[in-house]
Amino acid sequence: MKNANENSLSKVPELTLVFWIIKIAATTLGETGGDAVSMSMNLGYLVGTAIFAAIFLVSVIAQIRASRFHPLLYWTTIIATTTVGTTLADFADRSLGIGYAGGSVLLFSLLMASLTIWYRSLGTVSVDQVGSPKAEMFYWVTIMFSQTLGTALGDWTADTAGLGYGGGALVFSALLALVVAGRYWSNISRTLLFWIGFILTRPLGAVVGDFLDKPLNAGGLALSRYSASAVLLAAILISIFTFRQRAARQAH
């Protein structure tokens, strides 16, 4: 009976309010942490990407090899995707000269391709079904693309579109509010709403992170990237250890 119950559990957490709070904090940390390594430490986007990519790979391997859902391991992997997403998007947008709009289009195409291949391979992209190694591989690749896309999209909205960090935060908050409304007052696919919400939390975190650490003359608060990252990390850890997160149950 125990084994049957364990097999019915996904390797990802239930989608609760705590999940989304930690996700937004993690995406904000990804921005401040990624900028701290690539900019404040003067290591550059390419070296920063290599560092965070290595952390991401180790975390994903540990996550896939784990026999069950571990909150700390799961969120470590999520944070790794946000930091490598930040430095990778900045490298593509700025160092390679693709630009925010070009980077956003490229990453959106890769994200859609990942979801399409995942669906054709397993017949679903629902996070309730992330229990097998194959499903986890698709899950983390898709998340990697979504986190990188979010960075480019957030920068494009705040800088190129001229909305600034506050304006960008309002736009993405409003879009997330529409997703929540769709969740409770419509028959729109819950899986579709999840991925839209998951993607939108990344640019929200990107603009909030930039707002915290960018100079005053650029519209930011000029806070230390190290301090902001440390506070965000502490808040995430407190949330993980204070609020119990359970694995999502697979739908049959």
Side-chain angles (χ1 to χ4, degrees):
M1 192 67 166
K2 180 179 179 181
N3 289 334
N5 183 58
E6 289 178 349
N7 290 334
S8 69
L9 297 178
S10 178
K11 294 279 289 294
V12 300
E14 286 184 319
L15 301 180
T16 63
L17 178 60
V18 171
F19 171 88
W20 292 109
I21 290 174
I22 298 177
K23 171 61 167 63
I24 293 173
T27 58
T28 307
L29 171 60
E31 191 70 20
T32 59
D35 287 347
V37 171
S38 62
M39 297 180 185
S40 297
M41 292 184 181
N42 294 316
L43 295 180
Y45 301 127
L46 187 58
V47 173
T49 298
I51 292 172
F52 291 125
I55 297 173
F56 169 64
L57 289 175
V58 171
S59 301
V60 166
I61 291 172
Q63 172 73 19
I64 293 175
R65 294 185 64 180
S67 59
R68 59 187 177 84
F69 168 65
H70 295 278
L72 188 59
L73 177 58
Y74 175 84
W75 287 110
T76 296
T77 311
I78 287 290
I79 293 171
T81 65
T82 66
T83 48
V84 72
T86 295
T87 54
L88 181 59
D90 287 342
F91 176 72
D93 297 340
R94 300 169 187 173
S95 298
L96 296 183
I98 296 177
Y100 297 134
S104 296
V105 171
L106 173 62
L107 290 163
F108 180 77
S109 300
L110 291 172
L111 175 61
M112 291 299 102
S114 179
L115 285 169
T116 300
I117 295 171
W118 181 1
Y119 183 80
R120 289 183 175 178
S121 298
L122 299 180
T124 180
V125 293
S126 172
V127 294
D128 292 338
Q129 300 297 323
V130 181
S132 68
K134 187 174 183 179
E136 283 192 90
M137 285 297 297
F138 280 121
Y139 177 81
W140 289 110
V141 168
T142 302
I143 283 182
M144 181 68 220
F145 286 140
S146 76
Q147 304 282 43
T148 310
L149 168 64
T151 300
L153 190 58
D155 288 342
W156 178 81
T157 303
D159 297 334
T160 306
L163 295 179
Y165 306 124
L170 286 175
V171 168
F172 293 117
S173 295
L175 291 173
L176 283 169
L178 291 177
V179 173
V180 173
R183 167 65 177 81
Y184 290 102
W185 296 297
S186 79
N187 294 320
I188 299 175
S189 166
R190 298 297 183 258
T191 298
L192 175 61
L193 288 173
F194 165 79
W195 284 111
I196 293 174
F198 196 94
I199 292 167
L200 288 175
T201 56
R202 182 61 186 101
L204 175 61
V207 294
V208 171
D210 282 338
F211 175 69
L212 293 176
D213 63 31
K214 286 298 187 285
L216 294 174
N217 59 9
L221 295 179
L223 300 178
S224 163
R225 293 187 178 107
Y226 303 119
S227 299
S229 298
V231 170
L232 288 164
L233 180 59
I236 291 170
L237 290 174
I238 290 172
S239 298
I240 291 173
F241 290 112
T242 301
F243 301 101
R244 183 170 178 259
Q245 296 181 78
R246 297 179 299 182
R249 291 193 175 276
Q250 294 189 23
H252 296 287

